[in-house]
Amino acid sequence: MSALPRSYNPFAEDDEEEDVAPAGPGGASGADRQRYLQQEVLRRSAATADSTTRSLSLLYESERIGVAASEELVRQGEALKRTEQMVDKMDQDLKTSQRHINSIKSVWGGLVNYFKAKPPESKPEQNGAPEYYGSSRLKEAMMSSKEQESKYQESHPNLRRLDNSDSDFIKADLVSSEQRDSYPKNQQLRAYHQKIDNNLDEMSSGLSRLKSLALGLQTEIEEQDDMLDRLTKKVETLDVNIKNTDRKVRQL
């Protein structure tokens, strides 16, 4: 009597004969499975291409905001420059007032002012705002980013053309022979792969420009910090001189 295992199923052989159907989704044939896999690959490639396009659009938007912030920072530097010139002019006028007060107080003060060298007069300001020379590093970064404004317009979802599938296929046929060999043979899949590669290249360039903008902004902010410190010291000195002049006037 042959020993059979406890888990032996006498109907297992019948089940194996019935489960001979080919593998595939829903019991489909091999050709259907291959077609399903091809459609899945195309779907994922299209989703990846759309994702990189959206990321590129966000990158252009960030770059546009960075340029706007840089322009505002430069205008702030111009305002600080005008303020510093006004403080210098007030300090010079105050020195002139002190000379007149000394002349009024006594004859000796008038003689001292006569033999004392006059303070150098500042040149009259030209019409318009004074020219402000900001950070050259920031200006170069702004010029480089502004050249990409047309690409931002093309990539914006509300501004770009709705139908660009044909252009993707045309671009896919313009690649070199070496690049064509590295892409899939399927024309539609090749177009998706090339679009993804192009988007990744543009993203790399955009990130480089964003880095240049950030470094330029940092340099400009540091220079304006120095200007603010210098302006603060001038204003404090001017405030002390104004109080001294006011006290002398009251003593007349």
Side-chain angles (χ1 to χ4, degrees):
M1 183 176 177
S2 61
L4 295 175
R6 292 184 179 180
S7 60
Y8 175 75
N9 184 2
F11 301 101
E13 296 178 358
D14 297 336
D15 294 337
E16 290 178 359
E17 291 178 0
E18 292 176 359
D19 296 335
V20 187
S29 64
D32 292 339
R33 178 175 176 79
Q34 185 177 6
R35 186 162 50 252
Y36 168 78
L37 292 176
Q38 289 177 350
Q39 292 175 354
E40 184 68 13
V41 170
L42 287 175
R43 185 185 68 81
R44 291 181 180 273
S45 299
T48 304
D50 291 340
S51 177
T52 55
T53 300
R54 289 193 299 271
S55 300
L56 187 60
S57 177
L58 292 174
L59 186 63
Y60 286 144
E61 175 69 13
S62 301
E63 193 172 357
R64 188 180 67 86
I65 294 174
V67 171
S70 301
E71 292 175 343
E72 183 63 28
L73 190 62
V74 171
R75 284 193 291 269
Q76 177 179 302
E78 294 174 352
L80 287 175
K81 184 67 175 179
R82 288 194 298 269
T83 304
E84 187 175 13
Q85 289 182 345
M86 290 174 61
V87 170
D88 291 339
K89 184 66 168 55
M90 291 174 65
D91 183 67
Q92 183 180 357
D93 294 341
L94 189 62
K95 290 179 180 179
T96 303
S97 300
Q98 290 176 349
R99 288 173 55 86
H100 293 322
I101 292 173
N102 291 335
S103 300
I104 294 174
K105 287 180 64 176
S106 63
V107 178
W108 175 252
L111 293 175
V112 170
N113 289 336
Y114 180 80
F115 292 102
K116 190 176 180 180
K118 294 183 179 180
E121 297 182 358
S122 61
K123 297 181 179 179
E125 296 183 3
Q126 298 179 353
N127 295 331
E131 188 174 359
Y132 173 72
Y133 298 98
S135 171
S136 58
R137 190 173 193 176
L138 180 60
K139 288 185 176 180
E140 292 176 0
M142 289 172 59
M143 290 178 60
S144 177
S145 295
K146 283 184 177 181
E147 293 175 356
Q148 310 300 319
E149 231 175 288
S150 60
K151 292 185 178 180
Y152 165 73
Q153 300 288 341
E154 294 174 0
S155 67
H156 196 281
N158 296 331
L159 300 176
R160 66 185 178 192
R161 293 180 299 175
L162 298 178
D163 186 11
N164 57 358
S165 57
D166 294 338
S167 62
D168 292 337
F169 292 137
I170 293 174
K171 291 178 181 178
D173 293 334
L174 296 178
V175 297
S176 61
S177 59
E178 294 84 2
Q179 292 176 336
R180 188 179 295 111
D181 293 337
S182 63
Y183 290 125
K185 300 299 181 182
N186 183 281
Q187 184 181 13
Q188 190 175 6
L189 188 60
R190 183 169 68 246
Y192 285 139
H193 280 217
Q194 188 190 8
K195 184 176 183 180
I196 293 172
D197 288 345
N198 291 338
N199 287 344
L200 291 176
D201 291 340
E202 289 293 333
M203 288 172 64
S204 177
S205 301
L207 288 173
S208 178
R209 292 192 301 271
L210 276 178
K211 179 182 177 181
S212 299
L213 271 176
L215 293 175
L217 284 169
Q218 180 183 3
T219 303
E220 179 68 18
I221 290 174
E222 290 175 353
E223 292 180 358
Q224 291 192 18
D225 283 343
D226 295 338
M227 189 185 302
L228 280 172
D229 292 339
R230 185 172 65 249
L231 182 60
T232 301
K233 293 179 181 178
K234 288 183 177 181
V235 170
E236 291 175 353
T237 303
L238 181 64
D239 182 64
V240 173
N241 293 335
I242 289 176
K243 290 180 180 179
N244 292 335
T245 303
D246 181 68
R247 186 176 63 254
K248 291 179 180 180
V249 171
R250 292 178 183 275
Q251 293 176 354
L252 291 179

